[in-house]
Amino acid sequence: MSTDASTPDSARASEPLRLLAEDGEDLAIISAALQDAILRPADIVWEKAARRLTIEFSRFCWECGGTRVRSAMQFGDVQAVQSRGLPRLPDTHLELLALDFAPGDLPGGWVTLMFAGGGDLRLEVECLDAVVVDISDRWPARAAPRHPEDEPAPVAAEEGA
C-alpha cells in the first residue's frame, strides 16, 4: 500500500486520497475507504482491448467526516468483467459496500465489488493492480451513511409489563 507514513494523520486527512493495491490486504484498505461510495452504471468504463476498468465515485470521506469527494478507481490487467443483479439504467444510483479479492492462479484471481441490494461486479485479473485517487475538491455531504449496526438495538418489552 502506498502512503507516506511520515505525514501525521491530521494532515493526511486533508490531502487527496491516493492508494495502490497489489494484494488482498491492500484491497481491504481501499474497500474501507470506498465504503458507501455512490456511483451510476454509466460511471463504470470497461476498456476490453486495454484490459482496464475505471470507475468514478462520489466517495464519503470517512477520514475527514461530513464531506464527499469525486474519486476514481482503476484496475489494470483485467481479463474479464461480469455483473450480477446490477441495474443497467444509466442514472440508477448504486452504493458500494465492499471489495474483496479471491486468489486464483497467483498472482491473479477475482476482485468482487459488492453493492447494496445484492448486486455485484466481478473482475478476473491477471494480477491485482488497483489505484484509487481523489479527483475533485471536497463538498459537504447532505448526510452521513448509516448502517443497521449503527442503529440502537430495540429494547425488548419486560415480562409482566
Side-chain angles (χ1 to χ4, degrees):
M1 179 67 52
S2 293
T3 57
D4 182 357
S6 65
T7 306
D9 288 341
S10 59
R12 230 181 282 146
S14 64
E15 294 176 5
L17 185 71
R18 292 186 310 251
L19 300 173
L20 170 67
E22 296 177 330
D23 61 30
E25 290 178 11
D26 292 347
L27 194 64
I29 293 169
I30 287 176
S31 179
L34 293 180
Q35 181 180 3
D36 298 311
I38 299 169
L39 67 144
R40 299 168 301 139
D43 296 328
I44 303 170
V45 178
W46 163 226
E47 299 171 82
K48 188 174 183 176
R51 297 175 15 134
R52 179 173 49 228
L53 182 94
T54 306
I55 306 173
E56 277 193 49
F57 303 94
S58 168
R59 180 177 76 80
F60 186 80
C61 297
W62 290 103
E63 72 277 14
C64 300
T67 62
R68 282 200 173 267
V69 64
R70 288 298 290 172
S71 299
M73 177 170 51
Q74 189 169 78
F75 290 93
D77 298 309
V78 178
Q79 297 174 314
V81 177
Q82 300 172 320
S83 67
R84 181 181 56 102
L86 289 180
R88 300 202 184 253
L89 295 173
D91 288 326
T92 302
H93 285 90
L94 304 171
E95 182 179 350
L96 183 66
L97 297 178
L99 292 98
D100 184 52
F101 178 68
D105 291 332
L106 291 176
W110 297 269
V111 175
T112 304
L113 290 82
M114 295 161 271
F115 296 90
D120 57 43
L121 190 64
R122 186 174 178 196
L123 318 178
E124 182 179 353
V125 295
E126 185 175 343
C127 65
L128 185 52
D129 176 17
V131 176
V132 174
V133 295
D134 288 344
I135 57 174
S136 77
D137 291 331
R138 293 184 179 93
W139 67 88
R142 285 188 244 160
R146 296 191 57 104
H147 299 274
E149 63 270 10
D150 294 340
E151 304 294 327
V155 178
E158 294 182 25
E159 289 184 34

